[in-house]
Amino acid sequence: MEDKERLCYRNKIILAPMVKINTLPMRLLALDYGAEIVYTEELIDYKLLNCHRKVNETLNSIDFIDKSDGTVVFRTCPQEKPYVVLQIGTNDPNRAAMVAKLVQHDVAGIDINMGCPKNFSLKGGMGAALLKFPDKACAILSTVISAVKIPVTCKIRILHNVNETVNFCKKLEATGIAAISIHGRRVYERPYHENKNDVIKAVSEALEIPVIANGGSKDIKIFEDFEKFKIATGCNSLMIARSAEKNCSIFKKDGKLEIPRVIQDYLRHAINYDNFFANTKYCIQNMMGNVHETQQGRAFLETTTLYEISELWELGDYCRETQKKMNMLRFEERDLACNDQKRLKLNPIIEVQDDVNSLKCMYIRSLYLLPEDLPKTKLLNWAKLHRKPLPKYHTEQFEKLFKSTVTFDNKKYSSSFWEKSKRCAEQGSAIVCLHFLKVYDVNYLKINVHSRVLTIARI
Ligand SMILES: Cc1cc2nc3c(=O)[nH]c(=O)nc-3n(C[C@H](O)[C@H](O)[C@H](O)COP(=O)(O)O)c2cc1C
Ligand SMILES: *[C@@H]1O[C@H](CO)[C@@H](O)[C@H](O)[C@H]1NC(C)=O
Ligand SMILES: *[C@@H]1O[C@H](CO)[C@@H](O)[C@H](O)[C@H]1NC(C)=O
Ligand SMILES: *[C@@H]1O[C@H](CO)[C@@H](O)[C@H](O)[C@H]1NC(C)=O
Ligand SMILES: *[C@@H]1O[C@H](CO)[C@@H](O)[C@H](O)[C@H]1NC(C)=O
């Protein structure tokens, strides 16, 4: 890696790591507002080691996906790559190094968490437990540093006294870390305890590498307070957690924004990157403060989809449009990826059936809000209403893909789109049938992509 591309930790205002808060939308928001480096939430080493890396063409993101349950453990994107530091929770040099190797081409830096006071971390020998084992802490850092080309840092809390803290930091510095961030509280101290800025100052004077001051949120309410915190700690870089969690526009040089505006800005990123609903709700709730006091707050608590949240902040249309575009892209992506190649291998006779009314139609579950909207249910109800024999489905399987034909009123209907499950394939054929029966009309959308008719029902 060229030195000029290497992340520099001097003179930086940084978004500090926060579990559940620092997912992709919050990191992008902080960068928009002026943060110069953004840390991820702490990610536990064995969790990441159970992931595979996947490029998501639809979102233009890079996803690390859990091999066991398919969940996205870490999502990042090219836009944040020069500024994002991934924080690892670990107690083992080799595991930490393997994680660093796994992500090194997608992030700007690696940080090792040595400050987390939670029982979960302490019992596992991670986080602040490492403060008691300097040799282990140093071994982790050295091993990671020799495994990857990107800079490696760590985040600690202060120890019992100034000398102990300085000595410990000097040992860490000797491993070759690029910087060290220090939260000016001891492991057992809580946010209401005073942040020991003078201890941070003593360390920053004793070390050559940049020391990043942390723990000042209580006294940082406006941008200008950053300067005071820098002076009090003798550091020219600082990282901030809680003030940013509550109002991320704290990073704005030209003054904070009102919370509704911050929530809107946050929501756009959450929508664009299809952030988990529960995580989005959690982050917004933290910005709103006491949600029970206002009508909007109570309405917010009732929401169950990203769309419902978006509506509360006048982004309903934006959410719907974006999700629609995403579905199109995904449709196209999957169609190009699997359908044509697989079809070549299939018996062509299946495709050339003159008596089958066929359309290429993808079934997208999320478009059907009520149970009675589901294509199969709709067709069944239509059949009952018109006293017709009930529809019969026949499904073919090719490798892990399915295609279904429904026979109804002596005619056959099929979607030539190969679905990933039998259930979806049946719904697809029901969509086609409903189309030919003219049950779907205004809500039914037809688009031409690359001159092939691709159809999605009900948008
Ligand atoms: C919600 C929340 C989650 C946090 N998660 C992490 C974490 O994952 N890793 C970490 O090193 N520190 C974590 N911290 C600690 C902060 O990074 C920071 O050290 C602490 O809040 C003091 O800084 P502040 O005064 O700016 O809030 C978390 C803090 C909060 C409030
Ligand atoms: C990309 O992300 C979207 C939204 O979460 C998801 O529905 C889609 O399946 C993903 N695509 C790939 C190829 O992983
Ligand atoms: C953490 O562990 C300590 C000692 O085992 C215990 O006293 C404390 O209640 C625990 N804290 C939490 C939040 O579980
Ligand atoms: C701290 O360290 C300095 C130099 O290493 C030493 O002179 C001083 O006595 C120590 N102070 C304490 C309280 O241990
Ligand atoms: C965020 O900043 C705005 C503007 O200064 C202020 O009105 C609001 O109270 C702030 N919210 C929090 C939680 O700091």
Side-chain angles (χ1 to χ4, degrees):
M1 179 179 293
E2 297 290 321
D3 254 14
K4 60 177 161 43
E5 284 174 28
R6 202 177 155 89
L7 182 61
C8 164
Y9 294 84
R10 284 188 200 281
N11 275 313
K12 293 290 185 320
I13 291 181
I14 302 170
L15 174 69
M18 282 182 281
V19 163
K20 291 212 279 184
I21 300 291
N22 290 24
T23 49
L24 181 58
M26 188 64 83
R27 301 195 302 266
L28 291 174
L29 186 67
L31 288 171
D32 285 349
Y33 288 153
E36 294 157 298
I37 299 177
V38 290
Y39 277 56
T40 66
E41 59 180 331
E42 176 193 54
L43 294 161
I44 304 298
D45 55 7
Y46 51 77
K47 184 92 181 152
L48 272 168
L49 290 176
N50 193 36
C51 288
H52 68 266
R53 179 185 183 275
K54 191 172 179 190
V55 175
N56 189 316
E57 307 269 355
T58 308
L59 301 174
N60 192 22
S61 66
I62 294 141
D63 297 345
F64 289 84
I65 297 175
D66 192 303
K67 287 174 192 160
S68 322
D69 60 14
T71 56
V72 178
V73 172
F74 172 50
R75 172 167 283 164
T76 182
C77 68
Q79 189 193 334
E80 71 164 352
K81 186 185 158 186
Y83 317 104
V84 66
V85 172
L86 181 126
Q87 189 187 60
I88 309 176
T90 188
N91 67 4
D92 180 78
N94 293 326
R95 273 207 311 276
M98 283 195 288
V99 171
K101 279 185 175 167
L102 178 69
V103 301
Q104 66 168 326
H105 300 295
D106 299 308
V107 300
I110 297 286
D111 185 75
I112 305 296
N113 186 349
M114 300 186 180
C116 184
K118 297 260 163 67
N119 278 350
F120 167 79
S121 293
L122 297 180
K123 281 187 188 141
M126 300 184 289
L130 291 169
L131 299 176
K132 287 197 180 134
F133 302 101
D135 293 344
K136 172 67 93 47
C138 289
I140 291 173
L141 294 173
S142 310
T143 312
V144 176
I145 289 166
S146 44
V148 294
K149 294 207 176 86
I150 54 177
V152 176
T153 57
C154 65
K155 177 167 176 285
I156 66 163
R157 284 173 171 250
I158 58 166
L159 302 182
H160 185 62
N161 60 34
V162 179
N163 271 11
E164 267 185 46
T165 313
V166 169
N167 291 337
F168 182 65
C169 288
K170 281 189 169 170
K171 283 186 191 153
L172 298 177
E173 179 182 42
T175 63
I177 48 173
I180 182 167
S181 21
I182 307 183
H183 178 186
R185 293 188 179 86
R186 303 188 180 95
V187 179
Y188 56 86
E189 288 181 323
R190 302 282 77 98
Y192 58 80
H193 287 107
E194 179 202 9
N195 200 58
K196 274 33 136 233
N197 295 341
D198 53 327
V199 179
I200 301 180
K201 188 167 191 172
V203 177
S204 75
E205 282 161 3
L207 264 52
E208 300 288 326
I209 56 170
V211 173
I212 303 164
N214 174 237
S217 269
K218 220 164 57 182
D219 300 319
I220 297 176
K221 294 297 166 225
I222 55 171
F223 188 85
E224 285 68 26
D225 294 333
F226 285 149
E227 212 46 49
K228 294 184 201 158
F229 190 51
K230 283 186 189 175
I231 292 166
T233 56
C235 297
N236 58 29
S237 290
L238 56 84
M239 62 165 51
I240 179 130
R242 287 163 300 153
S243 288
E245 172 191 21
K246 292 199 193 80
N247 191 339
C248 191
S249 68
I250 183 80
F251 291 112
K252 271 174 79 74
K253 282 196 179 73
D254 52 354
K256 280 202 278 187
L257 300 171
E258 296 297 330
I259 286 299
R261 173 63 199 281
V262 177
I263 292 178
Q264 277 184 335
D265 291 347
Y266 172 83
L267 261 175
R268 271 190 218 95
H269 288 304
I271 294 166
N272 293 346
Y273 286 98
D274 196 28
N275 196 47
F276 285 130
F277 168 73
N279 181 250
T280 306
K281 190 166 179 177
Y282 176 77
C283 292
I284 293 178
Q285 191 160 344
N286 281 312
M287 298 183 212
M288 290 177 76
N290 197 339
V291 286
H292 300 278
E293 278 172 7
T294 62
Q295 200 183 345
Q296 191 187 36
R298 290 187 292 267
F300 168 76
L301 286 177
E302 298 287 308
T303 57
T304 57
T305 62
L306 194 54
Y307 175 69
E308 284 169 6
I309 296 187
S310 305
E311 273 192 313
L312 289 178
W313 280 276
E314 290 158 10
L315 285 171
D317 289 346
Y318 182 75
C319 181
R320 196 174 275 265
E321 284 304 310
T322 308
Q323 291 188 339
K324 195 155 103 183
K325 264 187 241 150
M326 252 181 232
N327 282 329
M328 302 290 176
L329 283 172
R330 206 163 16 154
F331 182 21
E332 207 180 328
E333 198 178 293
R334 234 168 87 184
D335 190 58
L336 293 173
C338 63
N339 204 18
D340 283 351
Q341 291 163 22
K342 301 258 158 105
R343 189 163 48 193
L344 289 177
K345 294 193 212 159
L346 286 167
N347 182 352
I349 293 166
I350 300 171
E351 292 293 314
V352 196
Q353 285 183 332
D354 288 341
D355 62 330
V356 179
N357 293 303
S358 183
L359 272 178
K360 189 175 282 183
C361 217
M362 184 191 198
Y363 170 64
I364 298 166
R365 176 67 187 87
S366 60
L367 299 178
Y368 303 89
L369 301 178
L370 304 170
E372 60 265 34
D373 287 341
L374 294 177
K376 278 182 73 179
T377 314
K378 213 172 179 70
L379 180 57
L380 189 68
N381 290 339
W382 197 88
K384 286 177 185 162
L385 186 71
H386 294 83
R387 301 179 185 287
K388 303 275 187 195
L390 301 184
K392 283 204 174 66
Y393 295 87
H394 171 76
T395 303
E396 343 160 12
Q397 181 174 359
F398 176 73
E399 290 178 2
K400 284 178 181 161
L401 298 172
F402 300 83
K403 200 173 87 164
S404 191
T405 301
V406 59
T407 306
F408 183 65
D409 208 11
N410 297 319
K411 291 201 183 74
K412 287 181 176 167
Y413 305 88
S414 173
S415 167
S416 55
F417 185 79
W418 290 86
E419 293 280 1
K420 283 184 175 166
S421 76
K422 179 170 181 266
R423 193 176 49 81
C424 291
E426 289 180 352
Q427 298 284 11
S429 65
I431 294 171
V432 177
C433 180
L434 289 163
H435 170 77
F436 280 102
L437 295 174
K438 301 205 188 318
V439 176
Y440 282 149
D441 46 6
V442 278
N443 287 330
Y444 192 68
L445 182 102
K446 235 182 194 179
I447 27 153
N448 257 304
V449 183
H450 304 318
S451 77
R452 282 170 306 166
V453 183
L454 306 181
T455 342
I456 297 177
R458 266 205 62 125
I459 292 200

